[in-house]
Amino acid sequence: MSILEMKVPSPGESITEVEIATWLVKDGDYVEKDQAIAEVDSDKATLELPAEASGIITLKAEEGDAVAVGQVVCLIDTSAAKPAGGSSTEAKPAAEAPKAEAPKAEPVQAPAAATYATGTASPAAKKILDEKNIDAATVTGTGKDGRITKEDALNAKHSMGTPTGGPRGEERKKMSMLRRKVAERLVEAKNTTAMLTTFNEVNLTNVNKLRSEYKDAFKAKHGVGLGFMSFFTKAVTRALELYPDVNSMIDGQEQIKYDFCDISIAVSGPKGLMVPVVRNAELLSFRGIEAEIKRLATRARDGQITVDEMTGGTFTITNGGVFGSMLSTPIINPPQSGILGMHNIIERPIAVNGKVEIHPMMFVALSYDHRIIDGRESVGFLVAVKEALENPTELLLDNNPKKAFEL
């Protein structure tokens, strides 16, 4: 017999522990080399654990167990032969159960005929019903000839009132390591930063016109849609270059500023919120941004995102509008110092050159760390984002949409 000990590999630097989220195989199963046998949660991502060899597997950890990097989680008997065909134990049809004899019908007693006493409350019962403000006509009497007894009155309840008898169950479920880490980071951001949020609104008329005019050609040539995220990402990278304090973070008593824009894009995955990073977004074209966002979002939703793909961002964009959010105060993604919140687009009346017009409007929110970002920088940054989105042809496309869209 040749036994291979499978140990937890390191999913990334600084990660010393993972959690067995789900076993994809059962104890005693035959597994093939490189077959995914488990999903493990780290504090940054959910990763698949592939079998290192073919053979019969013996599990050494339970779902939900926290295991150290390098710990043995299963054994694989590599000398075991692959079972021929399917399972050796086929499910046998259950023997036909003997038919139970139908119970003999009991004679049904005819209801007693109604009399003058039916529904009449005894004096004691009437007093109780009056005190409870219950109409005697709504109470079924159990006394002789249907008379309402004192006990009937005591047990009587209003037909209206607090409902009873509905389901009152509850479910207790341990949060995944990733979900717990997200919770810790959100609390950390609230408790350790001087977070403040400033708001503005953006008229997306011109962005909508560009998308309507070029989206079909863009999709046909590049294989990805021309969405709002590329416009917002380009507007953000432009604003970060104008206001570099927003593209910085605190390290102890020092402020670190970056000459590049690694933009974290918040996406909803099967295990919760994930924030993959678009590297050097300031150098990417519209096509490059859309393709990279699609790639990262697909990997996040398929549970294939890696730790490296979710670390190192300098600024975050989150879009609550896809879920219908109209306005929110996004929480900073530490150690970053700023996050832009997008929201849903609502057609609203606004004043344009002294006239009331209907335009597609979006509220935007910038949460920032007031310890290193002052009001001038935060407000100026958000105004720069607004200006770029309201004048995209001039400020984002260099007055040449076809060239910018690589058409």
Side-chain angles (χ1 to χ4, degrees):
M1 180 181 292
S2 179
I3 301 296
L4 170 69
E5 293 184 338
M6 271 199 59
K7 300 177 181 179
V8 177
S10 174
E13 293 182 11
S14 76
I15 297 178
T16 60
E17 186 180 70
V18 298
E19 187 175 279
I20 304 296
T22 307
W23 281 111
L24 304 177
V25 295
K26 298 189 294 294
D27 198 43
D29 281 357
Y30 184 89
V31 298
E32 299 282 359
K33 183 180 179 180
D34 296 328
Q35 173 186 344
I37 60 174
E39 289 182 350
V40 295
D41 282 344
S42 72
D43 59 6
K44 294 181 179 177
T46 298
L47 306 170
E48 287 187 345
L49 185 65
E52 296 176 4
S54 300
I56 300 294
I57 193 168
T58 302
L59 308 184
K60 292 295 184 182
E62 301 288 336
E63 290 185 358
D65 284 355
V67 293
V69 170
Q71 180 177 331
V72 176
V73 289
C74 65
L75 306 176
I76 298 179
D77 181 3
T78 58
S79 62
K82 182 176 182 179
S87 172
S88 59
T89 56
E90 298 291 340
K92 296 181 180 179
E96 186 176 342
K99 295 181 180 178
E101 292 185 7
K104 295 181 179 180
E106 296 291 338
V108 178
Q109 185 175 358
T115 68
Y116 72 92
T118 303
T120 301
S122 67
K126 185 177 186 305
K127 181 180 179 181
I128 294 172
L129 292 176
D130 289 343
E131 291 174 353
K132 297 171 75 172
N133 196 26
I134 296 178
D135 185 356
T138 64
V139 181
T140 301
T142 61
K144 184 178 180 181
D145 296 328
R147 185 183 296 274
I148 299 173
T149 66
K150 179 180 179 180
E151 185 177 0
D152 295 332
L154 290 171
N155 293 332
K157 296 180 181 179
H158 284 282
S159 58
M160 299 294 291
T162 303
T164 59
R168 297 182 58 79
E170 65 179 42
E171 179 184 2
R172 188 177 294 269
K173 179 182 177 182
K174 184 178 180 181
M175 293 190 297
S176 68
M177 181 177 287
L178 176 61
R179 187 75 256 176
R180 296 198 303 270
K181 188 62 178 180
V182 169
E184 291 173 9
R185 287 169 64 86
L186 294 178
V187 173
E188 176 191 354
K190 291 287 285 186
N191 293 340
T192 62
T193 65
M195 194 175 77
L196 194 63
T197 304
T198 185
F199 303 92
N200 214 316
E201 61 179 359
V202 178
N203 185 341
L204 292 172
T205 297
N206 291 328
V207 170
N208 280 349
K209 287 180 180 177
L210 286 167
R211 292 184 65 240
S212 296
E213 184 176 354
Y214 293 102
K215 66 180 181 180
D216 292 338
F218 189 92
K219 179 68 177 291
K221 181 166 184 179
H222 303 305
V224 290
L226 180 60
F228 288 100
M229 288 306 301
S230 54
F231 284 93
F232 273 83
T233 303
K234 296 290 282 187
V236 162
T237 58
R238 173 182 177 272
L240 290 175
E241 291 173 357
L242 294 173
Y243 297 93
D245 279 338
V246 184
N247 196 38
S248 68
M249 59 187 65
I250 291 179
D251 184 13
Q253 296 184 347
E254 299 177 333
Q255 178 182 5
I256 304 174
K257 291 186 179 181
Y258 300 97
D259 63 357
F260 57 88
C261 301
D262 283 356
I263 306 300
S264 304
I265 305 292
V267 298
S268 180
K271 298 290 184 178
L273 183 69
M274 296 185 179
V275 195
V277 181
V278 178
R279 309 286 178 187
N280 284 108
E282 79 281 5
L283 302 179
L284 296 179
S285 64
F286 279 81
R287 178 193 62 80
I289 292 172
E290 292 290 356
E292 183 65 359
I293 290 176
K294 180 180 179 181
R295 184 187 73 84
L296 291 170
T298 300
R299 288 176 59 79
R301 288 169 187 143
D302 292 345
Q304 299 175 343
I305 198 78
T306 65
V307 174
D308 290 341
E309 289 172 318
M310 292 202 300
T311 55
T314 63
F315 186 88
T316 295
I317 301 175
T318 180
N319 185 7
V322 296
F323 304 111
S325 171
M326 185 176 182
L327 190 63
S328 66
T329 55
I331 297 179
I332 294 171
N333 180 22
Q336 298 173 18
S337 299
I339 179 172
L340 179 74
M342 300 167 56
H343 300 92
N344 61 356
I345 302 171
I346 299 292
E347 293 210 338
R348 290 191 285 111
I350 62 171
V352 179
N353 298 323
K355 296 180 180 180
V356 176
E357 298 180 5
I358 305 296
H359 286 268
M361 305 297 294
M362 175 192 287
F363 289 117
V364 288
L366 172 70
S367 292
Y368 60 97
D369 191 342
H370 210 345
R371 293 178 298 171
I372 55 175
I373 302 173
D374 293 329
R376 185 185 75 85
E377 284 76 21
S378 61
V379 174
F381 172 89
L382 200 54
V383 169
V385 170
K386 171 186 172 70
E387 290 173 345
L389 292 169
E390 293 186 346
N391 302 279
T393 301
E394 177 185 352
L395 300 180
L396 300 180
L397 306 177
D398 198 24
N399 289 311
N400 192 341
K402 288 190 176 181
K403 181 179 179 181
F405 295 148
E406 301 176 27
L407 298 178

